[in-house]
Amino acid sequence: MIRNFCIIAHIDHGKSTLADRMLQLTGVVDARQMRAQYLDRMDIERERGITIKSQAVRLPWRGADGTQYVLNLIDTPGHVDFTYEVSRSLAACEGAILLVDAAQGIEAQTLANLYLALEADLHLIPVLNKIDLPAAQPEKYAAELANIIGCDASDVLRVSAKTGEGVAELLDTVIAQVPPPSGNPHAPARALIFDSVYDTYRGVVTYVRVVDGKLSRRERVLMLSTKAVHDTLEIGVISPEPVPTEALGAGEVGYLITGVKNVRQARVGDTLTSAASPATRPLPGYANPKPMVFSGLYPMDGDDYPELRDALDKLRLNDASLVYEPETSTALGFGFRCGFLGLLHMEIVRERLEREFGLVLISTAPNVVYRVVLESGGESIVTNPSEFPDGKVAKVFEPVVRATVLAPSDYVGAIMELCQSRRGALLGMEYLSTDRVEIRYTMPLAEIIFDFFDQLKSRTRGYASLDYEPAGEQEADLVKVDILLQGEPVDAFSQVVHADKARDYGLAMTARLRELIPRQQFEVPIQAAIGSRVIARENIRALRKDVLAKCYGGDITRKRKLLEKQKEGKRRMKVIGRVEVPQEAFVAALSTEQAPERKR
């Protein structure tokens, strides 16, 4: 008797804590081994207090009628950048617990995850968490939740993941309401790969949900998309540590080890089947995620380039939403242009590369993808500002998103003022209750990826929550701002910005570089330019030797002669001299361009 379900919620509403109580209550983790956020395995998850990777765990539970059940629980992330992780987890389940904080109510990402679950045709169990808090208002938020889902307020369960109150009743409800898996146990084996991870000693570890048939140990398996055939060395379940078994039947969730060392052969979303009697039709996989934000990653030491390539390959196995391709920069050398789902995703990937693989990296300022149409009729896709065409540009299109902001109604004016200043267009407004409002805007993605979220939080005293999804593209008045050092453009500092903000960017970057670049033997102009038009300029003054120090008197012409000689030398040096920008200056200039660390 199997039930597959996941927990979905906004960040910080208590998913991981509820999973902890379930682990304790079912007895798979004893009191001695128990720790907070048990399923958050990475150090970075525990430090930030957020879930980044979905985790599957098998729980035994005896129902009210005495029947023994097997519950497969998947704990999912709550942050908007990791929605792709959530969508993959939903494909392995038949039901979902929609968790809402009884002190904060429904927030933007709660709605986003709710729509994902409805699209996946999952059975929803609405649950209010944190009912033990003094500020909890369970009656108010139960009515709000019932109104959105279309159920009765009495159907909303009330639990406290911290104290364990109501968790046993929740597990009984999961057994009663979530439908059992519907696969055919006698059909040819088909299993969906919903996650994978690289183990240094054992190779690729693949996490699967068996839909039809049965997968056994020591049988050969075929991956339908790559046509690769492998021997199954180990098969088992996670409870919550890996436990080897002889086979996985229809409806079960577990792991598979084939000893594969080539990370490109195990693709998330692929279908596994038996090589002896293969299935002909693959399972519906996942839509490939589209990167929203691009940034260049370069090793501080150019010799580390092969290590960075291998590290990205291994991380891609564990994070299917990461895309990258090689690129070169005259300033930074060889590196990779990486695509991310958002700023937090970018921060996490960079931090994981530095921690798990011991790399020291420089990342360029994040930017979005533009589509440029030339007057000649040609078209180009720009993921890096240095690729922006130099010819006559007819139109530039930028990506836009549909942003949803949930906040107390007192802050509507402040939110609308902020969105309008970021070129937002109001789509609509809806009151969820007397004091909570949902505001929908269409906004350029480029206006969101820097400090929009920080500004939103500060203007609403931390009460607003934000969610966004791609909504196509729109034409915009965009220009490329180049930074010139002594007349030569430095590609790492180029940026595509709206024409109204071009001068602000130019002034800020030239002022910063004047502080960071050391003085040379000659004067160095730092200019910001749009095409051939200079819009901002700063000068780095030359280092001057006191050539008059040895003159202790005499005719003034001696001093003039020495000064003229120095002046001529400076002029000649300016013609043949090159400005060497130290690596530290690149790091400082580019890192301050990035948005600060954030949590949603």
Side-chain angles (χ1 to χ4, degrees):
M1 302 294 276
I2 299 170
R3 297 289 186 272
N4 297 316
F5 70 100
C6 60
I7 307 174
I8 54 176
H10 189 83
I11 194 167
D12 279 341
H13 280 208
K15 294 178 299 298
S16 297
T17 311
L18 181 59
D20 287 349
R21 293 296 80 73
M22 289 181 175
L23 292 176
Q24 279 185 308
L25 199 61
T26 53
V28 294
V29 180
D30 59 34
R32 192 165 46 116
Q33 294 174 308
M34 193 63 206
R35 63 174 192 268
Q37 288 177 270
Y38 192 91
L39 294 180
D40 290 347
R41 305 294 171 89
M42 288 189 282
D43 289 342
I44 190 170
E45 289 181 311
R46 306 182 69 75
E47 285 169 18
R48 290 179 178 235
I50 58 175
T51 302
I52 294 165
K53 288 292 299 172
S54 300
Q55 295 290 347
V57 62
R58 184 186 178 108
L59 309 169
W61 184 248
R62 192 174 295 280
D65 58 355
T67 311
Q68 189 67 39
Y69 289 88
V70 170
L71 307 180
N72 288 313
L73 157 69
I74 301 179
D75 180 26
T76 64
H79 195 282
V80 61
D81 283 12
F82 305 117
T83 301
Y84 183 63
E85 283 281 329
V86 179
S87 68
R88 283 171 22 199
S89 303
L90 296 177
C93 299
E94 280 81 34
I97 293 173
L98 182 68
L99 203 64
V100 173
D101 189 326
Q104 293 181 330
I106 292 170
E107 298 202 44
Q109 197 60 25
T110 315
L111 290 177
N113 288 334
L114 166 65
Y115 297 141
L116 280 176
L118 292 174
E119 280 173 28
D121 199 23
L122 299 192
H123 179 83
L124 280 173
I125 300 176
V127 179
L128 281 178
N129 187 23
K130 306 188 185 181
I131 56 169
D132 57 311
L133 289 180
Q137 297 174 279
E139 300 306 323
K140 173 185 173 184
Y141 293 125
E144 202 174 281
L145 194 51
N147 183 41
I148 287 173
I149 295 177
C151 66
D152 197 78
S154 59
D155 296 335
V156 179
L157 298 179
R158 293 159 173 75
V159 303
S160 168
K162 187 176 176 183
T163 64
E165 181 187 345
V167 177
E169 290 80 0
L170 173 57
L171 290 174
D172 287 334
T173 307
V174 167
I175 288 169
Q177 295 188 10
V178 173
S182 58
N184 182 356
H186 306 296
R190 288 196 302 171
L192 185 67
I193 301 175
F194 68 89
D195 205 358
S196 49
V197 65
Y198 186 81
D199 186 290
T200 312
Y201 304 104
R202 313 178 82 182
V204 177
V205 181
T206 310
Y207 295 99
V208 295
R209 154 74 197 270
V210 182
V211 177
D212 295 324
K214 184 173 78 168
L215 288 175
S216 306
R217 192 166 70 90
R218 295 292 175 195
E219 78 170 311
R220 292 172 73 76
V221 292
L222 167 71
M223 297 191 177
L224 283 183
S225 72
T226 59
K227 302 300 178 189
V229 178
H230 306 292
D231 287 317
T232 308
L233 303 181
E234 185 177 311
I235 196 165
V237 296
I238 303 119
S239 183
E241 304 304 325
V243 179
T245 59
E246 284 301 312
L248 286 175
E252 290 195 282
V253 175
Y255 70 92
L256 202 72
I257 297 175
T258 55
V260 179
K261 295 290 185 189
N262 183 355
V263 296
R264 294 179 188 274
Q265 287 186 355
R267 287 174 45 193
V268 167
D270 199 354
T271 302
L272 269 178
T273 185
S274 171
S277 56
T280 53
R281 199 161 47 90
L283 293 163
Y286 316 101
N288 284 329
K290 282 192 174 178
M292 309 268 277
V293 178
F294 281 82
S295 173
L297 283 181
Y298 296 86
M300 188 80 87
D301 182 351
D303 294 339
D304 288 342
Y305 176 76
E307 283 84 353
L308 176 58
R309 184 182 58 225
D310 292 344
L312 282 168
D313 275 349
K314 288 172 183 172
L315 199 62
R316 170 80 191 273
L317 181 71
N318 194 227
D319 183 355
S321 53
L322 171 66
V323 297
Y324 55 91
E325 59 183 29
E327 74 166 0
T328 54
S329 160
T330 51
L332 301 171
F334 291 99
F336 289 90
R337 192 87 195 151
C338 301
F340 307 97
L341 298 182
L343 274 197
L344 183 74
H345 186 212
M346 186 180 90
E347 282 176 36
I348 297 295
V349 167
R350 181 180 166 172
E351 201 164 328
R352 286 186 69 185
L353 287 170
E354 291 181 341
R355 283 184 185 211
E356 296 173 25
F357 303 97
L359 296 165
V360 182
L361 301 172
I362 303 170
S363 55
T364 60
N367 61 277
V368 298
V369 189
Y370 300 101
R371 184 166 67 89
V372 180
V373 180
L374 300 172
E375 286 186 355
S376 60
E379 188 176 294
S380 61
I381 303 297
V382 177
T383 61
N384 187 344
S386 61
E387 298 169 357
F388 203 87
D390 296 324
K392 289 194 173 181
V393 174
K395 295 176 181 176
V396 183
F397 294 90
E398 63 176 350
V400 292
V401 295
R402 178 191 168 100
T404 305
V405 180
L406 262 70
S409 48
D410 302 353
Y411 301 106
V412 169
I415 293 167
M416 292 180 81
E417 184 189 346
L418 173 64
C419 292
Q420 248 115 24
S421 70
R422 300 300 177 97
R423 300 189 282 133
L426 183 65
L427 289 175
M429 214 159 83
E430 193 177 315
Y431 280 83
L432 299 178
S433 62
T434 52
D435 57 350
R436 281 169 66 75
V437 65
E438 176 188 346
I439 307 172
R440 295 183 301 279
Y441 266 93
T442 301
M443 297 181 70
L445 179 60
E447 297 287 349
I448 284 183
I449 66 170
F450 275 110
D451 62 343
F452 177 80
F453 184 70
D454 294 339
Q455 290 288 331
L456 179 67
K457 281 290 189 188
S458 64
R459 293 190 188 203
T460 59
R461 299 185 188 173
Y463 283 111
S465 61
L466 169 74
D467 177 57
Y468 56 85
E469 60 182 6
E473 60 180 17
Q474 69 178 18
E475 187 181 344
D477 184 11
L478 301 168
V479 293
K480 175 190 170 191
V481 179
D482 283 315
I483 302 296
L484 313 177
L485 283 182
Q486 213 182 341
E488 288 187 17
V490 182
D491 59 353
F493 296 134
S494 297
Q495 191 69 287
V496 177
V497 295
H498 194 265
D500 295 346
K501 297 185 179 177
R503 190 162 182 274
D504 292 340
Y505 175 79
L507 288 169
M509 192 51 102
T510 51
R512 187 175 299 131
L513 288 175
R514 191 187 73 173
E515 302 296 325
L516 295 170
I517 297 175
R519 290 168 70 184
Q520 315 282 324
Q521 292 285 347
F522 50 91
E523 187 177 64
V524 178
I526 306 170
Q527 298 166 305
I530 300 171
S532 57
R533 180 167 60 93
V534 176
I535 56 172
R537 173 175 174 145
E538 293 279 357
N539 281 1
I540 301 175
R541 293 179 55 201
L543 286 169
R544 296 184 72 88
K545 180 183 173 186
D546 188 2
V547 292
L548 305 181
K550 58 190 176 186
C551 293
Y552 47 85
D555 193 354
I556 188 68
T557 53
R558 286 188 64 210
K559 294 184 180 180
R560 282 196 182 137
K561 184 179 174 184
L562 287 168
L563 288 169
E564 286 297 324
K565 193 175 177 184
Q566 184 188 38
K567 194 174 177 183
E568 181 56 38
K570 295 275 184 197
R571 189 179 296 119
R572 193 166 64 249
M573 194 181 286
K574 190 168 184 176
V575 172
I576 62 169
R578 282 183 56 81
V579 183
E580 289 298 327
V581 182
Q583 199 81 311
E584 296 75 34
F586 276 112
V587 178
L590 295 173
S591 61
T592 47
E593 268 301 295
Q594 291 178 23
E597 250 181 47
R598 65 200 55 210
K599 266 178 60 174
R600 265 178 214 147

